[in-house]
Amino acid sequence: MSEAVADSESDAVNPRESVERMFRDLRSDRQGLSAREAERRSLVHGSNELQRRRGREWPGEILRQLTHPLALLLWVAAGLAVVSGASPLAVAIVLVILVNAVFAFVQELHAEQAVEALSAFLPATAVVVRDRAEQVVDARTLVPGDVIVLDEGGRVSADARLISGSVQVDLSTLTGESVPVTVSADSTSNAGALVSARDIAFSGTDVLGGKAMGLVFATGMRTEIGRIAALSQRGVVTRVHSRNK
């Protein structure tokens, strides 16, 4: 199935709807998914992990910064300066090109490092209900519709709407709040931003106490922490492109 279809399936789920409607939209139930269905969905939704915009092709990145349209115009200007005998001016132009390329490259490198830092908040494994039994799986295999178990001392592996129980979570990775927050399946507060919802546990947050079960509705780059990762990369690319115009 195409990526566009995957996006439409994920975006069709509203985490503020009733739990029963979410189960219907995700074609799941309180017994979770079967291993076979989870494997099928992983092909549609992709791996539950944060993705960098591109690999670390450092020579290629430097070359791209040295050959974008504005840089090419500056190279031409430097050449004309040499021809006209204004060597100091040519050297100054070349220095501007090199400094701009290095600065842009460092910014993009910082964006990749930011994503790697966010990825460190994601757990390696998760407890999930599959084939009607709790089992430990690779957290990267979680898909929308999975039912996960949240327990004290663990870390949330995907964005999930609580369907039973309550837990105290540390939201500092998302909001900067240092005070633990209680999220519960019985909460009825739906006002404000999604991160302020008190019946949703978000990927990358620590469970400080309690026990609960949650219905996964977003994984990978579609989670709140995934959106932060995407914005950090997009912001750097936008600044670089704006400066190069």
Side-chain angles (χ1 to χ4, degrees):
M1 192 177 294
S2 68
E3 184 177 348
V5 175
D7 287 340
S8 63
E9 284 189 10
S10 177
D11 293 344
V13 180
N14 181 359
R16 296 188 185 277
E17 293 178 333
S18 67
V19 171
E20 290 71 21
R21 184 162 184 174
M22 287 185 66
F23 273 125
R24 186 198 68 185
D25 292 343
L26 290 167
R27 300 187 301 282
S28 182
D29 57 37
R30 294 178 184 273
Q31 300 302 319
L33 304 173
S34 66
R36 182 175 180 179
E37 175 62 13
E39 183 177 357
R40 185 195 72 80
R41 294 190 185 193
S42 68
L43 297 176
V44 175
H45 296 278
S47 179
N48 177 36
E49 57 186 340
L50 303 185
Q51 301 171 355
R52 291 197 299 268
R53 196 176 189 87
R54 61 174 66 86
R56 288 185 173 181
E57 301 173 353
W58 293 1
E61 286 298 317
I62 291 292
L63 180 61
R64 185 171 67 85
Q65 297 299 335
L66 293 174
T67 57
H68 63 76
L70 178 58
L72 291 176
L73 288 176
L74 290 175
W75 283 118
V76 171
L80 292 175
V82 171
V83 171
S84 64
S87 298
L89 176 59
V91 171
I93 294 174
V94 171
L95 286 176
V96 168
I97 297 172
L98 295 178
V99 169
N100 181 76
V102 171
F103 184 71
F105 172 71
V106 169
Q107 279 196 307
E108 295 195 5
L109 181 59
H110 284 170
E112 290 186 5
Q113 292 173 338
V115 175
E116 290 179 357
L118 290 172
S119 296
F121 288 106
L122 305 183
T125 61
V127 180
V128 63
V129 179
R130 286 188 184 162
D131 294 323
R132 299 179 178 273
E134 291 185 13
Q135 51 187 284
V136 179
V137 300
D138 186 331
R140 293 175 299 179
T141 67
L142 290 182
V143 294
D146 264 327
V147 172
I148 57 175
V149 179
L150 307 177
D151 207 348
E152 181 178 353
R155 184 169 284 177
V156 185
S157 47
D159 288 2
R161 171 79 174 274
L162 297 197
I163 59 175
S164 67
S166 65
V167 290
Q168 278 194 323
V169 295
D170 177 4
L171 291 176
S172 59
T173 55
L174 297 179
T175 64
E177 294 182 55
S178 58
V179 179
V181 173
T182 299
V183 291
S184 170
D186 298 327
S187 175
T188 57
S189 175
N190 287 317
L194 187 62
V195 292
S196 66
R198 292 299 176 255
D199 54 0
I200 295 177
F202 295 98
S203 179
T205 58
D206 291 311
V207 180
L208 305 179
K211 185 170 183 177
M213 301 185 74
L215 173 63
V216 174
F217 63 86
T219 58
M221 295 300 286
R222 298 182 182 90
T223 62
E224 287 301 306
I225 198 170
R227 296 181 195 280
I228 293 174
L231 286 173
S232 67
Q233 296 182 87
R234 190 178 306 132
V236 168
V237 172
T238 299
R239 289 196 299 272
V240 171
H241 286 179
S242 297
R243 189 180 62 254
N244 289 341
K245 286 182 180 179

